[in-house]
């Protein structure tokens, strides 16, 4: 199976380790991974800040770049939700504005074949034990757009439970937002920081070494809060845990 | 809306203080988490919750779609049952109608059932200006009124107060308004409730005019419905000689059968009860029982304008249960007052900028008072997609566009103060439309990473004031990919 890795602009620029982990993991599972070099950004930040019309060319670009692949896999719940939930809505809005079906028709092909990483593993590949080894105590934060947008449910924790050496501890208040929220983190910095600090304290209370999530934007906010609060915990993307093996452990 | 909220600063500024108020944070955290857990249990008891939610949504959408017809039907039913219907286009008109009706009775005081519509129009203040005193009789509204405070929650308007603060307010203020608090009042809930009961009893027995809102109005019979927990509503609705109800036009349901859905979803969503203790229904006037005179004031106040917007109109489905407030992480930390409206929390953030427009600083900031986490949508018993409306209203703020104001189509200009953001968004779109430009930017960031500051100046402090910046890697993923793929290609 040949799939396109939609890494997202944030991961491409700031978290290349997550990208390498996805490639390593999927290759290990027999999937042929391609990274279309023309990919940029799905337009989520534009859309959610109120710049839907600025997001439209980015969505069209996405559809052009990824349209020919069998499946599109992304290690980001929120960017995955952008394509799956909000691209159809962008099409509807364009139609309501009297601009016809062109946008909806352009975006439609990529919508059903875009998968968040844990969804792709569990639903498409049908695996929960990916042969990983990660000898650490981990607590998992289900990020909002993965949890409530895509409905990832138990998929991430089922994958984590199957990792050898990994001890999964429950995060109190797991389903509460971490406070990142894209431009919310800047526009309402006080509330965002208070939410982040509460999430970090909850994570700390578990005694885990690692706070795991399936979205690096949230982990960027939480990781930045952790070092500022000097907690000693580490934020790690789920792809890096699942890619880790005894022979090639994640650092 | 209520004059008490005029001139509020933008949400982030108003939230700043609340976030650092430890007592308030503690009160709100305790209260919202308690009710959040109870609601989840109460909802989980019903196997058909998803169907009830869908039915509630559909009944409301159908009614809103045919609101013109149902309003006329309601007017006919109420009139036939002996009531009088008044139409109020805005807050001023509604206040004037109520004040005139009270004056006609020759009375100078009214008892009130808890009502969001009368809060929205600032009725108490308007009556005060006419020499009429309005007594709030809901326990939490009484606390707010005695404390010269503002409500901070739809269902529990004094949620920001703890028992100790309430004891203080009762002991200090009750004597100003009527029967004083008993000597040696403690902060036990039973004693506080008893003090309120004694204080209110004389008001119920004396009042000749009652003022209420309504949770529902049944078009087919002209019946109004109030659901409540304390019984104060029942007293106000039955003892006075004249009853005046001020109700938003969106509160209609076509038939009694439709109530079946909401009388299940509303109590479970709001107080986490299977059934609320008191459900009062009345249809016009009845000989020898209850009020002799019944007036219904139908309030528009921005609702028709909201109805004209095809994305935003879903906010009119709201049944004021406040489940969205209780699960909202932003509400929990910013408190209700920061929303600058009698409608706080997620629903307030989409209602206020629609009912009032986005011209003021507070209203233009409300659509951003959310991390778009979606917890509100998940619990909403009428499936209002609050995040969708928030994003839609953000667009209205930054892009402007067509809206309806006072029944007229107008085109809004983009709001001021977003110029830098707009330029940044355009620049980002330009760069992201060109992979080469993105790559150049990434490489520049990687090559200069040793000289990146740990904290940012100016607006960047919004991030780095509380969070470290992520370190920039030595190379972006795409460079690694190209390097390794080329190497592979070469080997093959």
């Amino acid at each position: 199976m040949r799939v396109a890795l939609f890494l997202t602009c944030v991961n491409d620029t700031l978290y290349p380790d997550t990208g390498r982990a996805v490639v390593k993991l999927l290759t290990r599972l027999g999937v042929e991974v391609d990274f279309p070099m023309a990919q940029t950004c799905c337009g989520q930040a534009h859309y959610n800040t109120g710049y839907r019309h600025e997001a439209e060319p980015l969505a069209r670009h996405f559809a052009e770049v990824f349209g020919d692949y069998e499946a599109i896999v992304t290690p980001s719940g929120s960017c995955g939700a952008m394509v799956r939930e909000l691209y159809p809505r962008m099409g509807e809005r364009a139609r309501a504005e009297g601009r016809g079906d062109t946008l909806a028709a352009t975006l439609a092909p990529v919508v059903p074949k875009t998968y968040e990483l844990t969804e792709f593993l569990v639903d498409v590949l049908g695996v929960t034990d990916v042969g990983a080894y990660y000898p650490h105590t981990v607590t998992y934060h289900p990020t909002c757009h993965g949890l409530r947008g895509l409905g990832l449910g138990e998929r991430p924790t089922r994958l984590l439970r199957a990792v050898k050496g990994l001890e999964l501890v429950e995060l109190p208040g797991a389903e509460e937002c971490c406070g990142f929220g894209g431009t919310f983190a800047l526009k309402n910095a006080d509330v965002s920081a208070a939410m982040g600090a509460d999430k970090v304290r909850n994570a700390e209370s578990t005694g885990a070494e690692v706070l795991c999530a399936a979205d690096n934007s949230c982990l960027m906010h939480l990781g930045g809060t952790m070092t500022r609060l000097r907690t000693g915990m580490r934020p790690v993307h789920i792809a890096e845990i699942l890619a880790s093996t005894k022979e090639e452990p994640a650092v | 809306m209520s004059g008490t909220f005029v001139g509020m600063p933008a949400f982030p500024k108003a939230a700043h203080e609340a976030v650092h108020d430890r007592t308030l944070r503690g009160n709100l955290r305790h209260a919202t988490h308690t009710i959040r857990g109870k609601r989840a249990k109460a909802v989980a008891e019903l196997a058909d919750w998803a169907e009830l939610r869908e039915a509630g949504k559909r009944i409301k959408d159908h009614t809103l779609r045919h609101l013109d017809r149902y309003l006329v039907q309601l007017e006919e039913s109420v009139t036939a049952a002996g009531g009088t219907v008044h139409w109020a286009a805005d807050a001023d008109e509604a206040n004037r109608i109520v004040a005139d009706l009270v004056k006609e009775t020759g009375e100078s005081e009214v008892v009130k059932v808890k009502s969001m519509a009368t809060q929205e129009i600032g009725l108490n203040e308007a009556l005060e200006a006419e020499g009429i005193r309005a007594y709030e009789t809901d326990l939490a509204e009484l606390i707010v009124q005695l404390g010269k405070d503002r409500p901070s929650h739809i269902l529990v308007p004094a949620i920001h107060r703890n028992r100790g603060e309430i004891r203080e307010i009762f002991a200090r203020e009750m004597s100003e308004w009527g029967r004083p608090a008993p000597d040696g009042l403690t902060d036990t809930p039973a004693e506080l409730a008893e003090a309120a009961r004694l204080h209110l009893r004389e008001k119920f027995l004396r009042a000749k005019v009652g003022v209420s809102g309504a949770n529902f109005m049944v078009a087919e019979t002209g019946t109004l419905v109030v659901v409540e927990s304390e019984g104060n509503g029942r007293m106000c609705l039955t003892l006075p000689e004249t009853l005046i109800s001020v109700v938003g036009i969106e509160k209609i349901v076509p038939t009694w059968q439709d109530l079946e859905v909401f009388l299940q979803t509303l109590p479970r969503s709001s107080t986490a009860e299977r059934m609320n203790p008191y459900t009062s229904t009345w249809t016009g006037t009845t000989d020898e029982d209850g009020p002799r005179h019944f007036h219904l004031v139908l309030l528009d106040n921005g609702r028709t304008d909201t109805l004209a917007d095809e994305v935003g109109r879903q906010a009119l489905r709201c049944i004021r249960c406040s489940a969205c407030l209780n699960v909202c992480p932003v509400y929990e930390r910013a408190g209700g007052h920061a929303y600058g409206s009698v409608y706080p929390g997620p629903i307030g953030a989409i209602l206020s900028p629609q009912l009032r427009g986005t011209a003021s600083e507070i209203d233009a900031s409300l659509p951003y008072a959310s991390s778009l986490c979606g917890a509100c949508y998940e619990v909403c018993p009428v499936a209002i997609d609050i995040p969708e409306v928030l994003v839609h209203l953000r667009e209205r703020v930054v892009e402007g566009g067509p809206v309806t104001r006072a029944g007229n189509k107008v085109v809004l200009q983009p709001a001021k103060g977003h110029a830098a953001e707009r330029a940044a968004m355009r620049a980002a779109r330009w760069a992201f439309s060109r992979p080469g430009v993105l790559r150049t930017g990434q490489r520049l960031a990687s090559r200069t990473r040793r000289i990146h500051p740990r904290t940012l100046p100016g607006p960047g402090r919004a991030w780095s004031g509380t969070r470290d910046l992520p370190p920039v890697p030595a190379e972006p993923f795409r460079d690694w990919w190209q390097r390794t793929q080329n190497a592979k290609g070469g080997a093959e």
Side-chain angles (χ1 to χ4, degrees):
Chain A
M1 187 173 203
R2 186 161 172 272
V3 306
L5 168 61
F6 161 42
L7 186 55
T8 80
C9 57
V10 168
N11 287 324
D12 180 12
T13 309
L14 294 172
Y15 301 98
D17 286 347
T18 298
R20 284 192 281 267
V22 177
V23 174
K24 182 175 154 189
L25 171 65
L26 291 180
T27 308
R28 191 171 78 214
L29 296 170
V31 178
E32 193 188 331
V33 185
D34 191 18
F35 177 85
M37 289 294 284
Q39 67 178 281
T40 55
C41 163
C42 63
Q44 188 193 178
H46 292 81
Y47 184 93
N48 281 341
T49 313
Y51 297 88
R52 174 168 55 91
H53 292 110
E54 298 286 347
E56 281 180 8
L58 300 177
R60 280 198 299 267
H61 180 74
F62 182 96
E64 225 170 84
V65 172
F66 289 100
D68 291 335
Y69 288 89
E70 266 178 89
I72 304 153
V73 179
T74 181
S76 163
S78 64
C79 299
M82 173 69 189
V83 176
R84 284 247 299 276
E85 279 200 306
L86 302 178
Y87 277 14
R89 194 172 285 168
M90 284 168 84
E92 282 167 33
R93 294 295 300 140
R95 202 178 290 142
E97 286 169 343
R99 291 190 281 132
D101 290 336
T102 321
L103 185 63
T106 308
L107 303 184
V110 292
V111 173
K113 56 185 180 184
T114 298
Y115 300 91
E116 184 278 334
L117 176 67
T118 65
E119 253 180 345
F120 183 76
L121 294 171
V122 175
D123 298 354
V124 181
L125 299 185
V127 289
T128 43
D129 185 350
V130 296
Y133 173 74
Y134 194 76
H136 301 283
T137 318
V138 174
T139 191
Y140 178 75
H141 166 56
T143 56
C144 300
H145 293 176
L147 178 74
R148 284 176 281 264
L150 295 174
L152 296 183
E154 302 285 305
R155 291 176 186 85
T157 44
R158 278 171 65 196
L159 288 160
L160 288 173
R161 276 182 223 286
V163 173
K164 294 191 181 48
L166 186 150
E167 191 197 341
L168 186 66
V169 288
E170 201 179 323
L171 176 65
E175 299 194 350
E176 286 170 41
C177 176
C178 73
F180 173 63
T183 47
F184 173 79
L186 303 173
K187 286 175 180 285
N188 279 287
D190 288 310
V191 179
S192 167
M195 288 162 71
D198 287 349
K199 179 62 74 179
V200 166
R201 281 190 204 102
N202 276 339
E204 218 183 353
S205 77
T206 65
E209 302 153 67
V210 167
L211 174 64
C212 171
D215 217 318
N216 272 330
S217 322
C218 306
L219 288 177
M220 174 171 74
H221 162 73
L222 291 171
T225 305
M226 282 172 172
T227 51
R228 193 60 68 87
L229 296 177
R230 301 178 196 285
T231 60
M233 272 187 103
R234 286 183 296 133
V236 178
H237 192 284
I238 192 167
E240 294 171 41
I241 293 176
L242 298 178
S244 173
T245 56
K246 239 175 201 155
E247 297 72 36
E248 286 182 82
V251 188
Chain B
M1 283 195 207
S2 171
T4 47
F5 286 106
V6 165
M8 280 285 297
F11 183 84
K13 207 169 158 193
H16 176 79
E17 283 179 23
V19 165
H20 297 102
D21 181 337
R22 292 176 68 105
T23 309
L24 178 67
R25 283 275 297 274
N27 293 355
L28 281 173
R29 183 178 164 76
H30 174 72
T32 56
H33 282 250
T34 305
I35 195 159
R36 192 184 294 182
K38 285 185 181 172
R39 178 216 155 266
K41 272 196 200 127
V43 165
E45 285 180 353
L46 291 184
D48 61 346
W49 183 259
E51 287 86 355
L52 284 168
R53 183 175 189 244
E54 181 62 22
K57 172 189 171 181
R58 287 195 189 185
I59 292 167
K60 284 285 181 180
D61 280 353
H62 166 84
T63 314
L64 290 166
R65 177 70 186 77
H66 303 286
L67 195 56
D68 52 343
R69 182 151 59 82
Y70 287 121
L71 280 168
V72 172
Q73 189 189 5
L74 176 80
E75 181 181 37
E76 286 166 2
S77 310
V78 170
T79 310
T84 310
V85 175
H86 309 260
W87 299 82
D90 56 23
D92 287 345
E93 192 176 2
N95 286 329
R96 203 162 50 241
I97 292 168
V98 178
D100 288 347
L101 288 170
V102 177
K103 280 193 230 163
E104 273 172 35
T105 67
E107 294 296 317
S108 61
E109 60 178 34
V110 302
V111 284
K112 283 188 71 198
V113 185
K114 177 170 167 35
S115 138
M116 293 312 297
T118 60
Q119 295 265 14
E120 176 188 323
I121 61 175
L123 179 66
N124 293 7
E125 294 78 8
L127 291 179
E128 190 78 54
E130 301 277 346
I132 300 161
R133 210 159 203 204
Y135 296 114
E136 294 291 348
T137 67
D138 170 86
L139 178 55
E141 292 290 1
L142 176 70
I143 295 163
V144 169
Q145 185 171 45
L146 292 178
K148 298 177 185 69
D149 201 352
R150 285 175 291 132
S152 70
H153 190 282
I154 291 174
L155 180 78
V156 226
I159 195 169
H160 55 288
R161 297 293 195 188
N162 61 30
R163 287 193 275 159
E165 291 174 297
I166 294 165
R167 195 209 73 84
E168 279 298 303
I169 292 168
F170 279 9
R172 198 178 60 229
E173 301 291 339
M174 271 186 170
S175 58
E176 292 291 310
W177 291 76
R179 181 173 173 147
D183 288 334
L185 179 68
T186 73
D187 67 355
T188 57
E191 272 194 46
L192 294 173
E194 184 61 9
R197 188 176 285 129
L198 293 169
H199 179 80
L200 291 170
R201 183 70 42 164
E202 61 176 16
K203 306 235 171 351
F204 292 132
L205 296 176
R206 193 173 71 207
K208 296 279 185 273
V209 183
V211 173
S212 84
N215 296 95
F216 307 99
M217 304 185 285
V218 184
E220 65 175 351
T221 54
T223 304
L224 272 72
V225 183
V226 161
V227 301
E228 48 139 353
S229 299
E230 296 169 18
N232 65 300
R234 180 69 57 83
M235 303 284 253
C236 295
L237 296 167
T238 52
L239 291 173
E241 288 171 7
T242 300
L243 173 60
I244 305 166
S245 301
V246 183
V247 189
I249 53 173
E250 83 283 19
K251 295 281 161 216
I252 294 192
V253 292
T255 68
W256 272 79
Q257 199 176 353
D258 298 319
L259 284 178
E260 176 217 346
V261 172
F262 301 109
L263 293 182
Q264 292 182 77
T265 53
L266 177 54
R268 286 179 197 258
S269 299
S270 58
T271 51
E273 290 167 306
R274 291 171 183 157
M275 190 180 180
N276 49 289
Y278 297 89
T279 301
S280 300
T281 67
W282 70 99
T283 309
T285 55
T286 310
D287 291 340
E288 306 305 321
D289 189 20
R292 310 281 77 223
H293 309 284
F294 169 56
H295 296 274
L296 171 60
V297 182
L298 291 170
L299 177 71
D300 189 313
N301 208 32
R303 285 161 176 76
T304 302
D305 293 344
T306 305
L307 188 57
D309 187 275
E310 61 182 78
V311 178
R313 66 171 61 132
Q314 56 185 306
L316 297 177
R317 284 186 213 138
C318 177
I319 55 173
R320 311 283 189 263
C321 73
S322 51
C324 62
L325 279 63
N326 299 329
V327 295
C328 179
V330 176
Y331 174 86
E332 180 191 326
R333 287 163 185 92
H337 291 154
Y339 293 81
S341 158
V342 298
Y343 301 115
I347 187 64
I350 62 168
L351 261 184
S352 308
Q354 295 201 87
L355 295 178
R356 305 192 294 205
T358 47
S360 73
E361 206 189 346
I362 180 72
D363 288 319
S365 71
L366 285 176
Y368 300 94
S370 166
S371 63
L372 305 179
C373 84
C376 47
Y377 177 37
E378 193 175 53
V379 298
C380 178
V382 285
I384 302 170
D385 191 340
I386 293 177
E388 180 188 17
V389 182
L390 285 166
V391 169
H392 176 67
L393 293 173
R394 289 175 185 188
E395 188 179 315
R396 181 177 295 175
V397 171
V398 298
E399 287 195 351
V403 294
T404 309
R405 285 276 161 265
N408 301 310
K409 289 253 176 229
V410 292
V411 176
L412 287 186
Q413 292 303 305
K416 291 193 179 86
H418 288 265
E421 175 188 280
R422 196 174 297 118
M425 285 291 172
R426 267 184 204 155
R429 190 259 298 145
W430 182 83
F432 283 139
S433 301
R434 290 157 182 80
V437 174
L438 172 63
R439 182 176 207 164
T440 308
Q442 287 173 331
R443 284 183 176 165
L444 186 69
S446 286
R447 282 186 194 145
T448 56
R449 68 196 187 117
R450 289 185 203 293
I451 57 166
H452 288 183
R454 266 178 57 94
T455 55
L456 295 169
R461 269 199 298 262
W463 181 274
S464 64
T466 54
R467 292 158 286 213
D468 286 335
L469 292 165
V472 175
E475 63 178 354
F477 176 86
R478 63 179 64 229
D479 281 2
W480 172 82
W481 175 264
Q482 206 170 29
R483 204 158 44 75
T484 50
Q485 289 309 106
N486 284 349
K488 250 193 242 170
E492 279 166 14

